[in-house]
Amino acid sequence: MLALAPVQVNRAERKRRMAQLEERVANIEGTLSQMNERLNHLESRFSQLETRLEARFGQVETRFNHLETRLNQLFYALITSWVTIIAAVIASLLVAVLKK
C-alpha cells in the first residue's frame, strides 16, 4: 500500500495562494454585488409595470361597467318600444274588428 506524504508548502507559497484566493473572492463578491443591483432594478421595474397594469385594468373595468350600463338602457328602451308597437298593432286590430 502506498503512503501519501504530506504536502509541504512554504510560507511564501501560502501567502501567494492566499492572495490569489482573496482576489478571486473579491472578484466573486463584486460580481454578486452587481447581480444584486441588477436584480433590485428588475424588481423595481416589475413593480412599476404591475402598478401600471393594475391601473389600466381598472380603467378597462370601468369602461366595461359603463358599456354594460348603456347596453342595459338600450335593451330596456328597445323592449319598451317593441311592447308599445305591439300594443298599438293589437289596439288597431281590435278597433278594426269592433267596427265590423
Side-chain angles (χ1 to χ4, degrees):
M1 192 190 263
L2 292 172
L4 296 176
V7 177
Q8 296 285 330
V9 179
N10 61 24
R11 281 188 175 184
E13 181 64 20
R14 272 192 205 162
K15 283 185 180 182
R16 186 184 67 75
R17 286 184 181 178
M18 194 59 139
Q20 286 177 344
L21 183 61
E22 287 174 358
E23 182 180 338
R24 291 166 81 186
V25 168
N27 187 16
I28 290 171
E29 286 175 345
T31 301
L32 287 176
S33 176
Q34 289 175 358
M35 290 172 68
N36 189 34
E37 289 176 22
R38 290 177 186 166
L39 287 173
N40 286 337
H41 179 69
L42 286 173
E43 183 179 1
S44 172
R45 296 283 306 266
F46 278 122
S47 178
Q48 292 170 359
L49 179 62
E50 181 181 23
T51 301
R52 287 188 356 226
L53 285 174
E54 286 175 357
R56 183 64 72 183
F57 280 124
Q59 291 173 350
V60 169
E61 184 176 353
T62 301
R63 287 180 180 177
F64 274 124
N65 288 340
H66 178 71
L67 181 62
E68 182 180 18
T69 301
R70 185 69 180 132
L71 286 174
N72 284 338
Q73 291 171 350
L74 290 173
F75 177 74
Y76 293 135
L78 180 67
I79 294 298
T80 303
S81 298
W82 183 76
V83 168
T84 304
I85 290 169
I86 295 298
V89 168
I90 291 173
S92 65
L93 289 174
L94 282 175
V95 169
V97 168
L98 291 177
K99 279 187 177 182
K100 288 183 181 184

